[in-house]
Amino acid sequence: MAGVLGAAMVLAVAPLVVILWQVILNGGAAMSWEFLSSVESSPRDPGGYLHGIVGTLYMTGIAATLSIPIGILAATYLVEYGRSGRFANTVRFFTDVMTGVPSIFVGLAIYALLVVSGGAGLGFGTFVGAAALATIMLPIVVRSSEEMLNLVPADLRTASAGLGARRWQTTVKVVLPAAAPGLITGSMLAIARGAGETAPLVLTALGARQVVTAFQGTPQADIGLLMTDGFSQPFEPGIERAWAGGLTLIIVTLLLTITARFIAARRKV
Amino acid sequence: MRTREPLGGHAPLRGSASTWSADPVFRALALACAASVLVVLAAMIVRTTVEAWPVFADQGLISFLTGDLWDPGQSRSEVTGTYGALPFLYGTLKSAAIGLMLALPLAIAVALFINEVAPRRLRGLLAYGVETLAMVPSVVYALVGLYFLRLEVWRPIGQAVADSPLGVLPMFSGPVTNSSYWAAGNVLAIMILPIMTAIIRETFAQTPREERMAAYAMGATPWEVMRRVILPRGVPGIVGGTMLGLGRALGETIAVAFLIGASQRMSSSIFFAGDSVTSLIYNTFQDARPEGVWALLAIGVTLFVITMIVNVIARLIIHQVGRTTGDASL
């Protein structure tokens, strides 16, 4: 029986091995300085993904700036104030539900809310792309931060209160620093998820063929968007660059994930 | 709680008149952030529904859900096309069902292997290996699926099944296409395996030690303990994990869009090309006129409602078991 279960285990890990092997093999062959430093004008021309890399970093950066502080403060409310009250439980439940909202629906919703004239009418661009990513990252940050804040011993809070600290001082100067490594872990996982997300950006960032520095108003490029554009057309340079793009995304997300786990493993609350 | 200024001291944590308002302000700020989750969710639901309303109103909910023709019009102000969501709902449900059929037995076996069979030192590593699958970007699944897995693995397996005696069943009949419900189902199985394994593992681990020990004391083998003690205890986790996996599978976009084949024929065979809701939105959004966009929003809202129901049921079941931790559950 152990043999059957062992075979299942092998079967479960096999896709990871195949994916890493394929991406490293093909992506490694296509990876070059040109890929990282130049801009392709179309999948059939030479060039690189500089615009996509800039766009992905830009949007993920804004999304992190939006979602991480809000997410950590929301988790602070749940743990320090709301506890198991009705409102806190409602927020908790819908945060869980929100982690399961399809990312393409988030794209549609941000499109309807921010892009079209019936909504905010901002048009496509960096900020609306970032808003979509932030919406996907927010529940992840809230959930993981709440878990981490719950691990902070009550003794620390009591000791702080005993020294005459106000509630907010206890939270900001004692609880949050004590949970900091865990909060960083959760935030890094959220960033990894955001950086690898492509579907909602089709409806919000739209894609671009040059480096875009505008905060809003001009469609923005993204590694994932360039990849889908490249590997869905029959041009060798575009397909090769898509593999290199895949390698880039895998390296970024796995580095973030592994670093996050490393920090979590060394955490001593 | 009021505190007094310490005598003559300037301790960093002293309370003073100028900071008395900080407490309620901080509380209100944290409350606003917590409420933002609900506000964002509500705003998304309301805006998409309002924007999609003309299509629901024009087509009628029933014919929208059961129509099998999707023929978008070009209008900027009214609904002139015909919108039937059935082929897409059919493909979404069919590929998700294939994904679940493949992932569920595997998730249970992997959970048992990691918790019960693997050496203690290896458990963390194996769990990480499975969880890492959840962090691979879906566009990378699409790429590897498109250029390697569907050609080298999924299609040959499908061909073998279609050529075998099973091929006489309409469900398994040929022709076997490269992109198909089967290919999409396979990639979904890989993508939902981590979350299902994580939740099932959690509930298996909660089996009371006394029950295992009692079973062993009565002479049960490890296999009998797994089957008669651990599995029955894990049923809520298995059901909840399956529902959560289903929710993810229904909403997955890029990988499915590139592997399902974009055919609206609604073939009874799982080896033929089909289409899905997410794939339709992804493939046609950029060329859609305002009217077509409303229709995509309408089918997006439909998908959202389905995943919402599935997720709420899943969370209600899992909440009874206790919250699962770990990367894959995020």
Side-chain angles (χ1 to χ4, degrees):
Chain A
M1 202 54 221
V4 174
L5 298 182
M9 188 70 229
V10 172
L11 201 57
V13 183
L16 186 64
V17 176
V18 169
I19 286 164
L20 290 179
W21 161 55
Q22 280 291 310
V23 170
I24 291 169
L25 184 79
N26 296 308
M31 182 58 78
S32 64
W33 178 245
E34 192 198 4
F35 173 80
L36 297 171
S37 65
S38 67
V39 173
E40 61 160 33
S41 50
S42 88
R44 69 183 90 184
D45 300 315
Y49 274 15
L50 178 66
H51 50 328
I53 296 168
V54 169
T56 299
L57 291 177
Y58 199 172
M59 288 186 288
T60 313
I62 298 171
T65 318
L66 288 171
S67 64
I68 293 173
I70 295 178
I72 290 179
L73 273 173
T76 307
Y77 178 84
L78 295 179
V79 174
E80 306 291 325
Y81 297 102
R83 302 220 178 84
S84 51
R86 179 174 292 178
F87 176 73
N89 276 337
T90 310
V91 172
R92 226 169 250 132
F93 185 78
F94 282 102
T95 308
D96 279 1
V97 170
M98 208 169 150
T99 59
V101 171
S103 65
I104 191 101
F105 179 79
V106 173
L108 280 171
I110 297 294
Y111 172 82
L113 276 166
L114 298 181
V115 177
V116 293
S117 49
L122 297 175
F124 298 103
T126 315
F127 174 72
V128 292
L133 296 184
T135 310
I136 290 165
M137 289 159 69
L138 181 65
I140 302 178
V141 178
V142 177
R143 269 207 64 163
S144 62
S145 303
E146 196 198 345
E147 256 166 45
M148 296 307 160
L149 291 173
N150 270 325
L151 292 177
V152 176
D155 293 359
L156 281 181
R157 296 187 180 90
T158 320
S160 171
L163 287 170
R166 288 184 187 281
R167 193 80 172 269
W168 74 274
Q169 289 174 314
T170 302
T171 306
V172 173
K173 297 189 177 176
V174 177
V175 178
L176 288 177
L183 299 177
I184 293 170
T185 303
S187 305
M188 287 175 79
L189 290 173
I191 293 171
R193 183 64 64 84
E197 206 44 87
T198 307
L201 298 179
V202 177
L203 304 110
T204 52
L206 203 64
R209 293 248 164 257
Q210 68 283 325
V211 175
V212 174
T213 52
F215 184 71
Q216 182 54 35
T218 319
Q220 176 63 280
D222 169 73
I223 299 175
L225 293 178
L226 290 174
M227 283 175 66
T228 53
D229 197 30
F231 69 62
S232 59
Q233 292 179 45
F235 304 113
E236 204 53 44
I239 296 171
E240 280 173 13
R241 279 195 293 272
W243 282 105
L247 182 62
T248 316
L249 279 185
I250 283 265
I251 290 175
V252 171
T253 50
L254 291 193
L255 266 186
L256 281 167
T257 312
I258 291 166
T259 316
R261 283 177 189 159
F262 186 71
I263 295 172
R266 289 174 43 123
R267 180 190 66 226
K268 291 181 183 64
V269 172
Chain B
M1 182 179 63
R2 283 194 61 94
T3 52
R4 287 202 183 162
E5 175 115 16
L7 287 174
H10 285 280
L13 289 175
R14 79 185 195 282
S16 70
S18 63
T19 59
W20 75 269
S21 61
D23 247 348
V25 169
F26 184 77
R27 187 195 159 106
L29 184 67
L31 176 70
C33 288
S36 73
V37 175
L38 302 181
V39 172
V40 168
L41 196 59
M44 293 202 301
I45 297 168
V46 171
R47 263 309 287 165
T48 47
T49 311
V50 167
E51 199 77 4
W53 196 255
V55 175
F56 285 127
D58 182 81
Q59 303 284 307
L61 189 59
I62 302 297
S63 63
F64 179 78
L65 293 178
T66 56
D68 59 2
L69 178 70
W70 187 273
D71 181 23
Q74 305 290 319
S75 169
R76 304 193 137 264
S77 55
E78 54 186 347
V79 179
T80 57
T82 308
Y83 303 99
L86 191 62
F88 311 101
L89 293 170
Y90 174 82
T92 290
L93 294 175
K94 188 160 172 173
S95 56
I98 295 169
L100 281 183
M101 301 281 183
L102 295 169
L104 183 60
L106 201 56
I108 295 174
V110 167
L112 285 175
F113 184 83
I114 296 177
N115 280 11
E116 307 294 324
V117 181
R120 199 164 283 276
R121 286 175 298 125
L122 276 180
R123 281 179 198 173
L125 191 68
L126 290 172
Y128 275 172
V130 177
E131 283 192 7
T132 303
L133 283 171
M135 298 311 290
V136 173
S138 106
V139 64
V140 173
Y141 279 110
L143 178 63
V144 179
L146 201 59
Y147 283 95
F148 183 80
L149 287 168
R150 67 174 185 154
L151 306 172
E152 306 293 335
V153 184
W154 300 330
R155 208 191 87 94
I157 293 175
Q159 193 66 57
V161 174
D163 291 343
S164 74
L166 279 174
V168 299
L169 296 171
M171 198 181 144
F172 295 122
S173 64
V176 181
T177 53
N178 281 330
S179 289
S180 57
Y181 299 112
W182 169 243
N186 267 281
V187 82
L188 288 174
I190 302 173
M191 298 178 85
I192 63 178
L193 184 70
I195 190 165
M196 291 176 66
T197 308
I199 286 162
I200 294 173
R201 234 161 65 77
E202 188 94 351
T203 48
F204 283 176
Q206 286 174 0
T207 311
R209 202 178 132 76
E210 293 78 6
E211 286 185 21
R212 290 161 188 255
M213 291 307 146
Y216 279 124
M218 288 165 70
T221 62
W223 165 237
E224 283 168 334
V225 172
M226 284 184 217
R227 207 167 71 94
R228 300 285 174 84
V229 181
I230 297 172
L231 268 182
R233 277 281 175 184
V235 168
I238 294 171
V239 177
T242 305
M243 295 294 284
L244 217 50
L246 176 63
R248 296 283 161 97
L250 295 172
E252 174 50 41
T253 304
I254 303 282
V256 171
F258 282 98
L259 291 167
I260 202 162
S263 152
Q264 290 152 36
R265 215 179 78 175
M266 287 202 278
S267 165
S268 58
S269 169
I270 62 170
F271 299 128
F272 200 75
D275 212 336
S276 80
V277 173
T278 54
S279 161
L280 171 77
I281 298 171
Y282 174 80
N283 285 326
T284 63
F285 171 77
Q286 297 202 343
D287 299 322
R289 293 285 162 268
E291 180 192 344
V293 173
W294 302 337
L296 293 181
L297 279 156
I299 202 168
V301 170
T302 311
L303 176 73
F304 173 78
V305 170
I306 298 171
T307 53
M308 194 77 168
I309 293 169
V310 169
N311 273 308
V312 167
I313 296 172
R315 292 296 177 183
L316 288 174
I317 296 169
I318 294 168
H319 265 259
Q320 292 172 351
V321 185
R323 286 179 123 201
T324 310
T325 55
D327 310 349
S329 62
L330 293 174

